[in-house]
Amino acid sequence: MVPFKLSAFADEADPHSAGQIQALTENGIPYIELRGLETGSAIQLSDKGARELKARFDAAGIAVWSMGSPIGKIGITDPFLPHLEQFRRTLELGQIFGAKCVRMFSFYLPKGDEDRPKYRDQVLERLSILVEEAKGSGMVLCHENEKGIYGEKAPECLDLLQSVPGLRAVFDPANFIQAGQETLSAWEMLAPYVEYMHIKDALADGKVVAPGRGIGHVPEIVEKFGAQGGEVLSIEPHLAIFAGLSQLEREQRSIKEDIYPSKRAAFDVAVNALKAIIAQ
């Protein structure tokens, strides 16, 4: 396959920035999708804290690919102005880090309300405001599909991407599976708009497993992404962790391939599974 650039949500390896740098360095991953830190969400950093962290990333040869923000992870009926201010702060921090993208979502719909079309105009209005705010920042606004938001399935994602100029997509196979969307058809629909991929796989019941072990057609889609010139794959393990061997023995359970003894172990498994896929 093509020589992809690897990124990762390193907070899944370690909540502390030092551990994240170590996990990325030891796995040979040069980019990070910045999300959680020992101080909390990365978008809560001060300017001083962001500059200090960037200097540590620079020293380790790590660059911030994307701000893994929670923007768009509020209800569509929740107040928007405070969220817009949070987005503006995300852009400021992204510029300090030199991030290329901001990952975001298209708002949760009220529980029990399946009349998705009635929220379309409001979703488009909010997304259009966010894209306009991002102009001149040097960052691309990338929508991630996720269960429960307006753009949880491919048709709604396509509508958003076609209706909001400048908006791009993060393609997450596992999230589509959890929303009941078949991934190959989703890829064919959204491929022209995909800026990068989240590497995460799942079984039919929605349980997340290592890349290539689920029904997400990850190897095929990664190959298609590379064939159209796609470059960045961002690893988001989301793998199950057990509390410890002693507890495991007390419960008289056997170790399964998709349950791991630590966050770092799960992270390494996900990385190695992806490397095996792209080495084919």
Side-chain angles (χ1 to χ4, degrees), residues 72-86 107-108 122 126:
K73 271 196 167 184
I74 61 170
I76 188 60
T77 58
D78 292 341
F80 183 57
L81 185 56
H83 206 57
L84 180 58
E85 291 301 321
Q86 187 180 51
F107 307 99
Y108 289 111
Q122 191 175 359
R126 289 184 171 191

Side-chain angles (χ1 to χ4, degrees), residues 28-266:
I29 299 174
Y31 292 97
I32 184 170
E33 187 147 6
L34 192 58
R35 183 175 57 188
L37 298 164
E38 57 266 40
T39 54
S41 173
I43 66 172
Q44 296 173 339
L45 284 169
S46 65
D47 285 3
K48 180 175 182 289
R51 292 191 182 99
E52 289 175 348
L53 181 56
K54 184 180 186 301
R56 292 169 58 207
F57 284 152
D58 289 346
I62 295 167
V64 175
W65 165 251
S66 177
M67 299 297 292
S69 82
I71 298 302
K73 271 196 167 184
I74 61 170
I76 188 60
T77 58
D78 292 341
F80 183 57
L81 185 56
H83 206 57
L84 180 58
E85 291 301 321
Q86 187 180 51
F87 178 65
R88 289 169 176 157
R89 180 57 184 159
T90 301
L91 293 177
E92 291 172 352
L93 289 168
Q95 288 179 304
I96 291 174
F97 282 110
K100 304 301 182 186
C101 303
V102 177
R103 179 278 302 264
M104 48 74 64
F105 304 87
S106 55
F107 307 99
Y108 289 111
L109 302 187
K111 289 184 177 180
D113 189 344
E114 298 181 2
D115 188 7
R116 194 168 294 267
K118 87 177 176 186
Y119 296 102
R120 177 181 182 271
D121 289 347
Q122 191 175 359
V123 170
L124 290 177
E125 180 183 11
R126 289 184 171 191
L127 291 182
S128 297
I129 291 171
L130 294 176
V131 170
E132 187 65 29
E133 288 285 336
K135 287 182 178 178
S137 69
M139 286 169 280
V140 179
L141 196 58
C142 299
H143 173 267
E144 178 182 350
N145 56 285
E146 177 157 305
K147 183 179 180 180
I149 63 172
Y150 180 87
E152 69 170 4
K153 293 186 178 180
E156 287 79 16
C157 289
L158 181 62
D159 181 32
L160 297 178
L161 294 161
Q162 290 179 331
S163 301
V164 183
L167 185 66
R168 297 284 288 170
V170 185
F171 191 95
D172 189 311
N175 287 358
F176 272 132
I177 293 168
Q178 291 171 345
Q181 168 73 62
E182 198 277 328
T183 59
L184 284 175
S185 59
W187 172 261
E188 295 305 321
M189 200 176 295
L190 304 177
Y193 301 93
V194 176
E195 187 73 15
Y196 68 106
M197 287 186 63
H198 279 171
I199 301 302
K200 191 161 87 237
D201 206 346
L203 302 176
D205 63 3
K207 181 180 180 181
V208 176
V209 292
R213 297 179 185 170
I215 64 168
H217 300 285
V218 173
E220 298 99 311
I221 294 173
V222 165
E223 184 174 11
K224 291 174 182 291
F225 180 54
Q228 71 176 30
E231 294 185 318
V232 176
L233 306 175
S234 192
I235 302 158
E236 188 179 17
H238 273 24
L239 298 175
I241 310 297
F242 58 71
L245 286 174
S246 59
Q247 178 179 342
L248 192 69
E249 290 167 356
R250 284 198 303 269
E251 296 175 356
Q252 295 184 334
R253 296 172 57 188
S254 61
I255 300 176
K256 297 181 181 179
E257 65 175 0
D258 56 351
I259 303 178
Y260 305 94
S262 67
K263 291 178 179 293
R264 175 59 194 273

